[in-house]
Amino acid sequence: MMRAVVSARTVVSARAVVSARAVVSARTVTLARAGVRGYATANTKTEETKSRIEGKRQAALAGGGTKRIATQHSKGKLTARERIDLLLDPHTFREYDAFVEHECTDFGMSSNKVTGDGVVTGVGKINGRTVFVFSQDFTVFGGSLSRTFAQKVCKIMDRAIQAGAPVIGLNDSGGARIQEGVDSLAGYANIFQRNVLASGVVPQISLVMGPCAGGAVYSPALTDFVFMVRNTSHLFVTGPDVVKAVTNESVTQEELGGASVHTRKSGVAHGAFDNDVEALARTRELMSYLPQSNREPVDARYTADPSDRADVALDTIVPADSHHAYDIKDVVRRIVDDGRMFEIMEDYARNIVVGFARLGGQSVGIVGNQPLVSSGVLDIDASVKAARFVRFCDAFNIPLVTFVDVPGFLPGTRQEHSGIIREGAKLLYAYAEATVPKIAVTTRKAYGGAQCVMSSKQLRGDVNFAWPTAELAVMGAKGAVEILWRNDPEGRVRAEAEYTRLFANPLPAAQRGYLDDIIQPSSTRMRIIEELEILKTKKLSNPPKKHDNMPL
């Protein structure tokens, strides 16, 4: 009887287990089916998201569309992305904020959005070195600046300062986006603030490759170098229509703010090129002379040009008659590595030459009076041009090599009334303030206050050389005797010869220690390179201060 009960219980238990297993199995199947459906749904959503992302990315790459791109090309201009591709090393560009769109809702803008919002920003490399870049896209809203546009630019400028890398801006914009009102103006001000904070910290280069008008012009003006493209770029505060309305003056865009105006007359631009391709290629070349930031030296480059190379042509390059001119550029090219110099502001204030070169593979800043133009005299434009260049080199630890042949400051009411005293003091201030290695070579004349200004020993010049043809004096012999012997015309001839013997040579200055040596011109390259090597470990600082107060 007991066995029968146990057997019955066993059967019931077995049936319960089977039933439970069946329930579990059914539930498992149901859950599994639901999981498959859930996975399929999630996977579909992911694919949809990926598709939307890719669509937005393609929209950003398309800019303003095929028609506007064709219009851009018809004007001889590249697109924003084509410019970046040529500027940077291949396949190194990494874009930031490609998906950004404006947030303006006024004047129908809520339904008129373009992904990227008119500017391409990111980071890449030039000759293997990191640079940050923004490129304004004229095919999108005419490259006009919005709040989000400005945020994109500010972001990469902030990153450039933090990373210690140069910023290059490719400008092609109609100005502020009018629909955004004060937000657009605030965007400009935010960019200006970054320009100021980055100044002297990282190199800033602006390429104006289309229109740049209104408040937009002040960002390039705050950067270290401004380059333009002939016939396609224009830079002005107010356009021809406003000028006509206010002053009744009729003027074209080219006459008002073209490349020729700003490289020859105003001095706003540091150079001009024939097309976008040349401008971008030359910018790459310039970058090779510059450091990443004020925290790093410029990388030295190998050169096959011997450091002890002597050029005997230099021994006779300066004419015996001091009234005869020669080209200081010929002197520079015979001394620097491979005869190459990257000249800055070549067409402006041509009576002084500034630019970058290398000596013994080391990047240096070159400053030289140009006897071919106004005898190399210093005037307002030349003083400001050279002062700006000297201060850039000092900010970025680039040694200065100065070639002196200066008869003085340009006299006359126009210069005096325009402020030659204040403007000339800028160059004096720049040299006196500079703590980088400073080497000067006086090739011929060094007269009056101009002699003091041009990297003299008294302005903490490290090494001051002179050629045997040099003349360091208060003024030339003829002018001096006319003052000293004004009442003795017959004695002037004899006095002029005596003055020439006493002062129209480098010996008096060398005897007083104002010159470190009188060198043979053919040995100039070797002597400069030797001194640059010694000065690599130079340590010099100015007194602590909040900032200076140079005569602006």
Side-chain angles (χ1 to χ4, degrees), residues 127-350:
N127 300 320
R129 299 193 302 163
T130 299
V131 296
F132 287 82
V133 62
F134 66 86
S135 183
Q136 297 172 350
D137 190 347
F138 195 80
T139 70
V140 178
F141 304 124
S144 59
L145 185 137
S146 68
R147 184 178 65 82
T148 50
F149 180 125
Q151 286 178 342
K152 291 178 65 174
V153 174
C154 288
K155 180 186 285 187
I156 67 151
M157 293 182 75
D158 289 338
R159 287 206 60 192
I161 295 171
Q162 293 168 359
V167 178
I168 301 176
L170 310 180
N171 296 268
D172 189 358
S173 168
R177 193 169 299 172
I178 298 173
Q179 296 93 327
E180 296 211 9
V182 72
D183 278 343
S184 182
L185 299 180
Y188 277 127
N190 284 327
I191 293 173
F192 300 158
Q193 180 65 63
R194 266 69 174 190
N195 287 133
V196 173
L197 294 176
S199 181
V201 179
V202 296
Q204 299 180 84
I205 299 175
S206 297
L207 275 73
V208 181
M209 311 184 84
C212 185
V217 301
Y218 290 108
S219 179
L222 289 168
T223 60
D224 299 307
F225 300 105
V226 179
F227 298 110
M228 300 182 70
V229 179
R230 295 185 182 95
N231 302 318
T232 59
S233 64
H234 302 100
L235 195 64
F236 39 66
V237 176
T238 54
D241 292 340
V242 176
V243 171
K244 177 68 174 177
V246 175
T247 69
N248 201 34
E249 181 183 6
S250 296
V251 64
T252 66
Q253 287 190 349
E254 188 66 24
E255 292 168 339
L256 183 62
S260 179
V261 170
H262 289 308
T263 55
R264 295 175 184 273
K265 295 182 180 180
S266 73
V268 169
H270 296 79
F273 306 104
D274 289 334
N275 52 59
D276 286 8
V277 175
E278 183 187 5
L280 296 165
R282 293 284 281 166
T283 300
R284 285 179 58 88
E285 181 183 351
L286 172 62
M287 292 300 299
S288 70
Y289 293 98
L290 309 183
Q292 289 293 92
S293 71
N294 63 355
R295 304 192 296 266
E296 298 182 26
V298 185
D299 293 334
R301 287 200 166 192
Y302 169 78
T303 177
D305 196 346
S307 61
D308 60 352
R309 170 176 58 80
D311 191 330
V312 294
L314 291 171
D315 292 334
T316 56
I317 200 167
V318 175
D321 187 342
S322 62
H323 294 94
H324 292 174
Y326 63 98
D327 192 346
I328 197 64
K329 294 182 188 180
D330 287 343
V331 173
V332 173
R333 293 190 189 102
R334 290 181 177 277
I335 292 172
V336 299
D337 290 357
D338 306 308
R340 298 182 65 180
M341 178 176 70
F342 191 103
E343 190 170 352
I344 300 295
M345 301 182 81
E346 181 177 2
D347 296 321
Y348 181 76
R350 294 170 54 243

Side-chain angles (χ1 to χ4, degrees), residues 378-402:
L378 284 177
D379 58 10
I380 289 174
D381 291 344
S383 298
V384 174
K385 169 182 171 179
R388 174 82 171 165
F389 182 77
V390 168
R391 297 198 89 210
F392 175 85
C393 291
D394 187 48
F396 291 101
N397 307 307
I398 300 173
L400 288 161
V401 178
T402 304

Side-chain angles (χ1 to χ4, degrees), residues 1-2 21 43 65 139 144 213 282 325 365 370 387 432 439:
M1 185 67 179
M2 183 62 72
R21 285 176 177 172
N43 189 53
T139 70
S144 59
R282 293 284 281 166
Q370 175 57 288
I439 299 173

Side-chain angles (χ1 to χ4, degrees), residues 481-525:
V481 299
E482 285 181 353
I483 294 174
L484 295 174
W485 279 268
R486 64 169 61 92
N487 297 321
D488 184 10
E490 295 181 359
R492 287 179 189 172
V493 176
R494 176 177 47 80
E496 186 173 342
E498 181 67 8
Y499 188 95
T500 300
R501 185 184 68 81
L502 291 174
F503 299 114
N505 65 82
L507 272 175
Q511 290 168 342
R512 290 163 175 78
Y514 302 151
L515 293 173
D516 294 290
D517 199 0
I518 302 170
I519 64 174
Q520 193 66 15
S522 56
S523 69
T524 304
R525 171 179 169 81

Side-chain angles (χ1 to χ4, degrees), residues 380 383-384 417-427 550-552:
I380 289 174
S383 298
V384 174
H417 296 174
S418 298
I420 184 63
I421 297 172
R422 179 187 62 251
E423 306 303 326
K426 290 178 181 178
L427 182 55
M550 72 176 297
L552 295 174

